[in-house]
Amino acid sequence: MALKMVKGSIDRMFDKNLQDLVRGIRNHKEDEAKYISQCIDEIKQELKQDNIAVKANAVCKLTYLQMLGYDISWAAFNIIEVMSASKFTFKRIGYLAASQCFHEGTDVIMLTTNQIRKDLSSPSQYDTGVALTGLSCFVTPDLARDLANDIMTLMSHTKPYIRKKAVLIMYKVFLKYPESLRPAFPRLKEKLEDPDPGVQSAAVNVICELARRNPKNYLSLAPLFFKLMTSSTNNWVLIKIIKLFGALTPLEPRLGKKLIEPLTNLIHSTSAMSLLYECVNTVIAVLISLSSGMPNHSASIQLCVQKLRILIEDSDQNLKYLGLLAMSKILKTHPKSVQSHKDLILQCLDDKDESIRLRALDLLYGMVSKKNLMEIVKKLMTHVDKAEGTTYRDELLTKIIDICSQSNYQYITNFEWYISILVELTRLEGTRHGHLIAAQMLDVAIRVKAIRRFAVSQMSSLLDSAHLVTSSTQRNGICEVLYAAAWICGEFSEHLQEPHQTLEAMLRPKVTTLPGHIQAVYVQNVVKLYASILQQQEQAAEAEAAQEVTQLMVERLPQFVQSADLEVQERASCILQLVKHVQKLQAKGVPVAEEVSALFAGELNPVAPKAQKKVPVPEGLDLDAWINEPPSDSESEDEKPKAIFHDEEQRHVRHRQPEVDEEELARRREARKLEQANNPFYIKSSPSPQKRYQDAPGVEHIPVVQIDLSVPLKVPGMPMSDQYVKLEEERRHRQRLEKDKKKRKKKEKEKKGEDLDFWLSTTPPPATTVPAPSTEEIGVHAVTTPKDECEGSKREEPEDEDDDVEHDQERKSSRHKKKKHKKEKEERSKDKKKTKKKQSEREEATAVEPVENGAAEEEPIPPMSSYCLLAENSYIKMTYDIQASLQKDSQVTVSIILENQSSSFLKNMELNVLDSLNTKMARPEGSSVHDGVPVPFQLPPGVSNEAQFVFTIQSIVMAQKLKGTLSFIAKDDNGATHEKLDFRLLFSCSSYLITTPCYSDAFAKLLESGDLCMNSIKVDGTSMSFHNLLAKICFHHHFSVVERVDSCASMYSRSIQGHHVCLLVKKGENSVSVDGKCSDATLLSSLLEEMKATLAQC
Amino acid sequence: MIKFFLMVNKQGQTRLSKYYEHIEINKRTLLETEVIKSCLSRSSEQCSFIEYKDFKLIYRQYAALFIVVGVNDIENEMAIYEFIHNFVEVLDEYFSRVSELDIMFNLDKVHIILDEMVLNGCIVETNRARILAPLLILDKMSES
């Protein structure tokens, strides 16, 4: 024994400690991985020793290696050994390692329960402390349940050190084991008034986190927190409390009013920037949530903005960033207050820090008005020129376009200026946003009629300039604007000054280097241009000139005919023929201009995005009526244990679109009218088109946005957007002098708008007030995001896929349920997780439900499975089912369930079939037709699993049989053997059918059409009830019942290749007759043969 | 809530990592490389806050060592920024002028300090004497 002790301490002397390990790693920079693997080997040796000191040392080193990214989960048991050391110096090493690498999936963690309990009740406060700290990192639901009481007791420990930690750990315990919250809550509340500030702060922390998840339940604590806020001097605690109030005020506006004063006091008095920032943020949040009944909040906003200005002006980049961040929150509700600091924010655009510049850009978006738009954009344009790095420049570009185009170009007073800006932006090299600029050009040119002449002149010079064509290397690059330019010049060619020149520019050989979709637009618009030139010249009786133009077209178009792009080629060849024809006519002296122009007669009108809404719903169609009655939801939330908090993810799932009622609609309409008043597009039309369609709803009255411009300004020469800025200033000056009166009116209008805005934003967001269930269900809800309850979708989604043999029954029953209410669905998935047993009960219950659209009242239907036996031997049993999908007309999926019937372990399974000409198995790319497809799993004894294989089929009119083999290795104690199992895979014609519902009138039409061939069968000696018979046909042959009268039913189905199959099934005394009609005779006879086999068993 | 606390040097080597929400070990390495990359790419003129995926990073540089704290989006950036300095001051006091090597050699002790200051992702203690008390007792224990 003594010898062993001595040996142990000598060993320790030679062992590496943490310092040696760190040094060693530093000295082995070249072969670090090798060195570390050596060390791990040593550590493994050390862990095998009995000496706890050696073990602790080893675990300490492992913790370091874990930090470097090495997995040490293999040492979990050793870590537990060290955790249970009696000496604190070792124990803490064990706990540290555990806190770094244990998690809910660590299986040995349950072994720790008693050790932790022992440590928690240890007389040494540091033992308890270290156990608590460790627990906070690796507590599992089991540990939480078992230890909740112990930790709760510790909350009243005599030592504040322990109380503090215990209070904080309770938060994790609540999360993992929500039932513990209710009994622990009173004690937790008590801790808010603990004499020790540390404990108090811990309690505040925990309650703040809980309240953030479900603020409603903590409103009652507000007075207590209010007292704390006014008495505490600890900034950390204050920050938390203030944050908590930010979460509570949306629920209780009166609280907000009470808060403003102490918060503004704090803003005035504090020197801590973190606290100041928190206060400002909360004041903003409070003001946003307050209703407009609060009179003097402008003073508080002013104070906030002032303080934020100080932050932004500070030389500390961090404060500047936060200032801008908070400013953007104010901007949403009080844009006016922020706008007065425009200068400062524009300054920030020059900042060295990109993240600050981006924040400033965000702010600018909300700050523009009609008055300052030009100025702000001018400033941004100078930044565009200066900006280094394409990302930031692209960001600027998108921001400029966003700012200008926001709310229907509300702030643009001069569209010529805007077009010039867009043209200037095209000079940017290497941008990825060519398409954005192009879209804006098109939008403006189409919607603002008055601007077209100007736009066309600009666009024609764009087409002329060579730099855009040559920069055509990248898609989405700047050459995209040529798309817009060509279209605008073509469509509005009547405004062109020198159409001939533009035509030549568009027919230059260089154009063929552009991307195909742009060339296609070129080709199309060249003709438009050509048409208008012809017309001009014929009117001027210049027949020769007209012929020259035609000649030019005939000469140049062939370059597009040769294009590799199909679209370009097609258009060009069409047009070339057309022009040649024109040429012939011209040679005969026939006037053609009229007819060519007729190709492009009429004007394209923009349609408002919501126009569809105005189309009246056809009579007799009630979109709100249930198709199937919703199930009662009596067993909904009420029965669940109400937890005090819930997880925030809950809200996303629960979020529902608020119902739009009449009042809301009226209010929105009102708001829209107000917006229209400020919208340049609505200025001209005195009997507003909006009004017209309100009075007489109908398809003819789909609102077409009428656009015109009140300020047509013509600036000679090449436009520079600066000129407009100047002009704008002059115009303003004049306005100021002349239209004082008008301006005052306008101001009133704007003011009205702002009030409305404010009112809107002060209604609390609905999401926060929705009561939501406890954390218990988080997991369940997270996976069942509501699916579209589309009636047409018949195939069940993968949800049930691992339910093996019961799979298809489940599928059947769920088809019914799918149509039912969403809530029920949630309920179902919840239940499903609860117990396996319950699930099987449910399945039995649903199996007796009527199948598909058979009549409901008749006798129960025995459970059916579409899986049939494929092959079987002593090792393995294979059953299979074939599934087709409407999306793929020549493909089916074969699902094979493989069940291990032996006591061997089956692996390396591979499935192979002998392909026929018609039917082929899809194999992984690169493998030959003789290779098998591996089964993606292994089978331990007694286990079954499902594998899916895809087959392609050409013709589906006949049943097919494929020979195949499953090869595998069976491994047991005596060794491994190669085994195989041959099978014949039958592709019945029924498996190509897809259950498709059909209405009786459509069915009748189909039968009348006369396109269908006929055939029939008769089966004697069936005893099964007609109801079950139909169900069988529905299930096995994928039909649906169209109509059923007594013992006669019509049925319908469709093949994946679109064949219609109609059946008339009649039941006599002891026989069934089936008359079929189908678009393919062979398919029909194959199907009837199969049906005969099914019915013969009945 | 603090999600993780990292100390990484300029070469991208992790010197201390503490996660307050479980993350798989291979994801940790990935996250650490990405985090340090985004910190290293910033100049001293830039602010210390980075928006990264769904959380915020707050970092401070001390010589060649970066301290990076990941927090959820409601956390007060400024408070964390001050907290990092507070942490370094405590280290400085305990190790008397702390260096990167001190932290590597005494990883376990640095963890004790951090655990005293942050528990469960919440800041619990900022008083230097109270933070160091357990550690000093521990030192006494191992001396005797």
Side-chain angles (χ1 to χ4, degrees), chain A residues 530-583:
Chain A
Y530 169 66
S532 82
I533 293 175
L534 273 189
Q535 195 150 32
Q536 273 176 26
Q537 282 167 343
E538 275 189 14
Q539 273 167 8
E542 295 170 5
E544 237 170 72
Q547 277 175 359
E548 264 170 43
V549 178
T550 314
Q551 187 55 35
L552 179 75
M553 292 284 281
V554 173
E555 275 166 22
R556 297 287 179 83
L557 277 174
Q559 66 186 357
F560 294 111
V561 177
Q562 289 155 9
S563 170
D565 190 284
L566 278 181
E567 180 75 23
V568 180
Q569 205 184 81
E570 190 184 5
R571 289 191 192 188
S573 357
C574 249
I575 286 160
L576 184 60
Q577 286 312 311
L578 181 82
V579 177
K580 278 182 179 163
H581 184 67
V582 171
Q583 199 173 28

Side-chain angles (χ1 to χ4, degrees), chain A residues 969-1015:
Chain A
I969 294 175
K971 195 180 165 193
D972 55 14
D973 299 336
N974 307 327
T977 50
H978 263 282
E979 297 290 344
K980 61 180 196 170
L981 175 60
D982 292 328
F983 57 82
R984 289 165 86 87
L985 188 57
L986 173 72
F987 290 86
S988 64
C989 285
S990 304
S991 55
Y992 304 131
L993 294 185
I994 290 184
T995 316
T996 319
C998 186
Y999 291 110
S1000 47
D1001 45 354
F1003 187 77
K1005 252 185 210 157
L1006 201 62
L1007 289 179
E1008 284 162 15
S1009 68
D1011 301 333
L1012 308 180
C1013 323
M1014 230 190 106
N1015 203 341

